[in-house]
Amino acid sequence: MIYCVEDDNSIRELMIYTLKAAGFEACGFYDSVDFWKKMNEKKPELILLDIMLPGEDGITILKKIRESSDAKDIPVIMATAKSSEYDTVIGLDSGADDYLAKPFGMMEMLSRIKAVLRRSKPQKTSRLIRCGNILIDENKHKVTVNDKNIVLTLKEYEMLKLLAENVEQVFTREMLLSLIWESDFAGETRTVDVHIGTLRTKLNECGNMIKTVRGVGYKMEGVAHEQKNI
């Protein structure tokens, strides 16, 4: 779950729409009042926090988060005015994990979020994702098919993991470009097709688990996945 505190309704709605389209749960807030109410109910994985807010400003909210015993470790990305270096410095000094300079693009926002979440995730356990005869060891960055090691490129690995974690969910080529390549250039969708082709080949008989949804994109079909921490 990602919380987005932004008083501009159109910007906030676009951010929430983009986050949900990218597979995140997201909830938006106009100001600190509703934000704190929700924080008392459920803690998010990350907070997107605008500095300029009605009532309690973003810096004050950030300082309270960092002083809270049960919320101090939640990653926070601050949104600052592009021309305000002072606000950026104050935000980082107050404990922000990263910042976005307004106006920012939605793909940049997703990229920053994924980078911060990667840095903040504990690495004490190894997560195994099993999908049919495909086994993905997330910490070792290792893939086996029928107990045989499969050598994948970084993009092939990330695409396989995304599909295996979301069995039966259809991903458009544009969504895969955004999530794997962090790009929104429609002309690059052929890149997705090429990587799907090489991934299928490397997976041997398990390659047919990746199905083409005609006119839409791709999905991993028909096999329940298992995720286990060891």
Side-chain angles (χ1 to χ4, degrees):
M1 173 65 76
I2 294 177
Y3 288 171
C4 174
V5 191
E6 166 61 63
D7 63 321
D8 187 305
N9 293 334
S10 59
I11 294 176
R12 185 176 67 253
E13 289 172 5
L14 179 59
M15 293 168 76
I16 297 299
Y17 174 83
T18 302
L19 289 166
K20 289 182 176 180
F24 293 103
E25 291 184 82
C27 190
F29 308 95
Y30 171 79
D31 59 16
S32 66
V33 178
D34 291 335
F35 167 73
W36 287 121
K37 287 180 182 178
K38 191 66 175 179
M39 283 286 285
N40 289 330
E41 298 173 10
K42 181 179 180 180
K43 299 296 186 291
E45 291 179 82
L46 182 142
I47 299 168
L48 290 165
L49 180 60
D50 190 20
I51 282 187
M52 300 298 293
L53 293 168
E56 196 172 32
D57 64 71
I59 296 295
T60 303
I61 294 173
L62 175 62
K63 288 179 178 178
K64 287 184 177 180
I65 291 171
R66 292 296 177 246
E67 292 169 358
S68 171
S69 59
D70 60 346
K72 62 182 180 181
D73 294 326
I74 298 173
V76 177
I77 299 178
M78 302 294 294
T80 68
K82 194 168 186 178
S83 60
S84 180
E85 182 180 356
Y86 175 78
D87 284 342
T88 300
V89 172
I90 293 297
L92 293 173
D93 285 348
S94 299
D97 295 271
D98 202 349
Y99 74 95
L100 284 162
K102 289 186 172 182
F104 53 83
M106 293 298 101
M107 293 307 104
E108 180 188 2
M109 178 187 74
L110 287 176
S111 178
R112 295 291 184 93
I113 288 171
K114 288 188 284 187
V116 169
L117 287 176
R118 280 195 298 268
R119 294 198 301 266
S120 64
K121 282 182 180 178
Q123 298 296 322
K124 294 181 180 179
T125 60
S126 179
R127 191 165 74 110
L128 300 180
I129 304 167
R130 181 177 293 280
C131 190
N133 292 325
I134 302 170
L135 182 65
I136 304 169
D137 188 324
E138 199 170 34
N139 271 20
K140 295 180 180 178
H141 216 270
K142 178 181 176 182
V143 176
T144 58
V145 174
N146 294 320
D147 298 322
K148 294 181 180 179
N149 290 338
I150 304 296
V151 179
L152 301 179
T153 67
L154 176 60
K155 297 304 183 186
E156 289 167 350
Y157 172 86
E158 290 180 345
M159 186 179 294
L160 175 62
K161 188 164 80 74
L162 178 65
L163 293 171
E165 287 176 322
N166 299 277
V167 171
E168 295 293 343
Q169 179 177 336
V170 178
F171 290 90
T172 67
R173 292 170 175 83
E174 290 75 17
M175 287 174 66
L176 290 171
L177 268 178
S178 170
L179 295 170
I180 305 300
W181 280 268
E182 299 176 359
S183 169
D184 59 354
F185 179 48
E188 295 178 355
T189 54
R190 177 61 182 159
T191 299
V192 174
D193 297 331
V194 171
H195 279 74
I196 287 288
T198 58
L199 180 56
R200 282 171 169 160
T201 299
K202 290 180 179 182
L203 293 175
N204 299 313
E205 66 269 25
C206 289
N208 61 14
M209 294 168 60
I210 301 176
K211 300 296 183 182
T212 300
V213 181
R214 189 174 297 276
V216 182
Y218 299 97
K219 69 174 182 177
M220 185 75 81
E221 186 178 77
V223 182
H225 73 280
E226 171 187 315
Q227 299 183 9
K228 182 170 72 172
N229 294 329
I230 61 172

